[in-house]
Amino acid sequence: MKKVITGNYAVSYGAMVSRSQVIAAYPITPQTQIVELLSEFCADGLLDAKFIKVESEHSAMASCIGASATGARAFTATSAHGLALMHELLHWAALGRLPIVLANVNRAMGPGWSIWTDQNDSLSQRDTGWLQFYCESNQEILDTIIQGFKISEQILLPTMLVLDAFFLSHTSEPVDIPDIEVVDTYLPKYNATYRLSTENPYAFGGLTGPDHYFEIRYKMQETMDQAIEIARQADEEFERIFGRSHGLIERYYSDDAELILVVSGSIASTTRDVVDQLRSEGRNVGMLKVRMFRPFPRQEFRNAVRRAKKVAVIDRNICVGFGGIFYQEITSTMYGHRDDLPIFGFIAGLGGRDVTPNVIHEIVTHAETHDTPDTEIIWIGVKR
Amino acid sequence: MKKRKYPKDEIITFKSANEMPPLAVSLGSMRWNKTGSWRYIRPIYENKTPPCDEACPAGEDVEGVQYLCEQGKFEDAWKLILEEHPFPGVQGRVCYHPCEEACNRGHYDEAISIHAVERFVGDYGLNHGLIPPRLSQERGHKKSEKIAIIGAGPAGLVCAYHLARMGYTPLVLEAHPVPGGILRVGIPSYRLPKDILEAEIEHIIKMGVDIQTDSRVDRDLLLKDLKDFNAIYVATGAHESRNLNVPGEDASGVMSGLQFLIDLNLGKKIAIGKKVAVIGGGNTAMDTARSVLRLGSEVVVVYRRSRAEMPAIPAEVEEAEHEGIPIHFLATPIRVITDQERVVQMECVKMELGEPDESGRRRPVPVEGSNFIMDVETVFTAIGESPQLSFLTEDIQTEWGSIVVSDHGETSKKGIFAGGDAVDQPRTVAHAIGSGKVAAIAIDTFLRGKDTAKIAASVQIGQKGSVSMERYLRGEIRYNASKVVRFEDINLAYFEHKDRVDLPRADIEKAKQSFVEVNSGLPESAVTTESGRCFNCGVCNMCENCWVFCPDISISRKTDAFGYDIDYDHCKGCGICVEECPREAMSLEEEQK
């Protein structure tokens, strides 16, 4: 069934058709509508889930952890400061190997108080052990929730999907909401290997000495490595059933491009248009959309830029003291592989400032007119 | 779901990551990790003394009685009291119940109706023909030493009761024709029915105590007949009324209040006038006035201080007033006026309160020119009683008219012990009972050649001198007796406010016309409800809070007995059990390292 819905509602529908069993969430702009609609689903009996009202995001994630430990499918959504408040428990969920799915609406961290989008909130959680997917459209949002549970429940690591505040969260698009019975065929009931139960009781998260902690981390990384292939398979299977896929890194006119723009989130839609226009002008420009950020599909990325002459990374975030975070990832991914490839790091659109086609044009022109970057950070649109 | 396959208490060490689960999950037990070593304070699971127990001069396990009554275990409650003394029916009626004053619940809403509960338990025992608890053959085997007890009042009888339980055959000598002392001849039957007292004394006689009535002991008898007794306990009470020391006192209409009560209780005919004054503010004065009222005369009480200084039990004063007896405060007689040797009037003077005297109460001072005259035909004096000690030999030291005794009831003469009203202690039945117990312990330890002081110290309840006979005889050290639980120690979150159940008020018009008992007792349902209000200060009743709240599963229920065990190998000393124990049966101690 197709519906014209916002990104937030796409999240709610995604959680519903995935048959989430426990939802614990605390409202925060711009995520609130997600929780509202889910609570209505629960109240109206459209979703057979326990909806837990909590007093903070910390408790929301704690509740999800408890629920997931019993073997229930647990879902939550948050944004910015809410996600930051969850930080401790994000580690807990990952190290506890709990396949929770979380939707984070990208919102700039305050102060100055902002409700508009940028990626620093979710990227600050990069090292917690969660899978991260950055979504371009409302359809992708819904699909990624279903895929998120599918992947997480196989590898026992939690998934965070990310959508831009307002550009996606509050913007309506046509979205195909799959029949729940069809989703059932893709996403079977979660069967936890280790779970809280009275018949065969286990304690979780107990003291783990130096004899074993190291190996727990090792196994986590091992799983993350496998997660790339599992996510790819999940996407392929999704395509077979639902007729669409999103890829881990989407290539758009990139195979023969001299200049490849590397983007994520809703900027990809704008970039897509600009690439179309540039191609019609005969300019050899392509795009890579990084959808899967954690684990980072390094080999896939290297393959995608094999023939490129230049790479321009657009970051709607900044690791203060270093530069764009995607830029970091990509330079580090390429180190020792294509030392001849100039990688430009652009910072744009922080705190929800529009990244318009003109901004993309400016970035392309800059990259085209420079053989190598003058600086590690290239600021676009900053009022200096 | 995988089943456990690892040994419970061993550390599991995996050789490779492949063998390991992906997360920290308890495949084995964590008991190898002795987290108790992190502790710097430790919880101590130890019963303590509730304030009611400490306050009870008779040394009753007051809290224990409430605990049993709440569960309807009235037989056990009766036996628990009988471990300490044989008079629950009596004490449930005449005790001044300082336990209720001390009750921590009084700071929360109202004290438990301990007094009324005791009466119910006492009556339950009598109505069901219960038999006092026996000691083991080992503890209670027959003993040959001869013990004489002079005076069959509460002190003497309680001493005899315990000595009989221990296997002795004490001889009790009583001057009056009936046993019971002041309980029998002093307290009117509307307060303490004779059948209750007699039934409880019967328990003592059945244990083999020989009570010889009409046997007043004089010095001759003491020196000759009691010469070869191994121990003598003097509990002769205080029966000599103090004089008013005013002109006209010798007139025939001026009499001792106590003597009046004795005569009344022994069934003698007493002629009294239509208008009667009772002088004094103690229990004898109240008993005399209320008895006079029941004989049909008009009565007024004259007391030289104010209500606050009255030594009588407040409830007795209240009931006297309730029955319509006027109390003339701050007045004292200065002259009894006679006409042809008959009392016709009494001249009094008004008083005011000055500086506190040696008793701590404010001294009454006459107000000059405030004299007034009252028409009276009979005057009863009830301004205090003293022991009659002329039968004692000089080697038994006395002071201010009382026998001098140690904390253990030993007189200055070896083998002679004394207690009750004959020694310097508060003149209450509860204190008399307490001193009877102290003496029984002292006599037993003396005859068995043991260290009286050391043993007496080990059976103290709290700090006010009460002793536990149960602990002495059964040797159970159940708790930290010296620590008395305060109101601040109670976790009030676990208690709801609830009204106290009081004794039903009697029909006064009917009551004041006869010597039938004024107050009826509580019904059984009220007793269980009332006992259920008890905080059970300091005494574990297995509410399970500690067990439920312990985050380290370091508290377990004992498998073979009442109570809990603390696993100090793993208890981290977080103190949650102590905080959540409603009644301070758990407390914290600094770790000695």
Side-chain angles (χ1 to χ4, degrees), chain B residues 115-132:
Chain B
H115 185 52
V117 169
E118 180 172 25
R119 171 166 164 184
F120 176 87
V121 172
D123 290 353
Y124 184 93
L126 295 177
N127 293 338
H128 290 76
L130 300 183
I131 299 161

Side-chain angles (χ1 to χ4, degrees), chain A residues 200-203 205 207 212 219, chain B residues 1-2 4 12 14 17 24 26 33:
Chain A
N200 188 22
Y202 284 101
L207 186 72
H212 298 118
K219 288 170 86 79
Chain B
M1 200 77 186
K2 287 171 187 164
R4 285 181 202 290
I12 303 167
F14 293 105
S26 60
N33 185 19

Side-chain angles (χ1 to χ4, degrees), chain A residues 95-97 156 192-197 199-208 211-213 215-216 218-219 222, chain B residues 1-5 11-28 30 32-33 35 38:
Chain A
L95 283 158
R97 304 300 295 265
L156 301 182
T193 316
Y194 298 98
R195 64 186 170 89
L196 280 176
S197 95
E199 294 102 60
N200 188 22
Y202 284 101
F204 292 93
L207 186 72
T208 306
D211 256 351
H212 298 118
Y213 186 89
E215 281 69 28
I216 283 180
Y218 168 78
K219 288 170 86 79
E222 205 175 41
Chain B
M1 200 77 186
K2 287 171 187 164
K3 286 279 168 196
R4 285 181 202 290
K5 56 178 180 182
I11 302 176
I12 303 167
T13 308
F14 293 105
K15 290 199 176 65
S16 78
N18 288 341
E19 295 173 24
M20 282 176 61
L23 64 155
V25 56
S26 60
L27 297 178
M30 288 294 292
W32 56 268
N33 185 19
T35 51
W38 309 356

Side-chain angles (χ1 to χ4, degrees), chain B residues 340-399:
Chain B
Q340 297 170 355
E341 298 197 353
R342 284 175 54 85
V343 176
V344 289
Q345 283 180 321
M346 181 171 75
E347 184 180 356
C348 297
V349 65
K350 289 188 179 168
M351 312 288 276
E352 59 187 7
L353 294 177
E355 293 302 305
D357 63 11
E358 67 278 357
S359 74
R361 298 178 300 175
R362 291 174 68 190
R363 186 192 300 276
V365 187
V367 179
E368 213 162 308
S370 67
N371 298 28
F372 63 98
I373 306 276
M374 293 169 78
D375 292 341
V376 288
E377 295 161 25
T378 306
V379 175
F380 283 122
T381 59
I383 56 167
E385 295 85 24
S386 347
Q388 203 284 98
L389 302 174
S390 58
F391 67 100
L392 294 178
T393 51
E394 279 73 22
D395 49 359
I396 297 171
Q397 198 190 334
T398 63
E399 197 176 78

Side-chain angles (χ1 to χ4, degrees), chain A residues 249-263 271 275 279 284-290 300-314 330 338 341-344 346 363-364 367-368:
Chain A
I249 292 173
E250 187 198 339
R251 305 179 182 198
Y252 192 71
Y253 292 106
S254 61
D255 287 357
D256 62 345
E258 289 186 7
L259 170 65
I260 294 180
L261 299 167
V262 180
V263 295
T271 309
V275 168
R279 281 281 174 169
N284 204 0
V285 177
M287 174 187 88
L288 287 179
K289 180 183 95 180
V290 178
E300 189 171 335
F301 186 88
R302 287 175 197 137
N303 291 344
V305 299
R306 204 145 35 100
R307 293 198 198 92
K309 300 263 178 356
K310 287 177 186 171
V311 166
V313 183
I314 307 177
I330 285 156
R338 282 277 315 268
L341 180 68
I343 302 173
F344 293 76
F346 296 95
I363 287 167
V364 170
E368 282 177 343

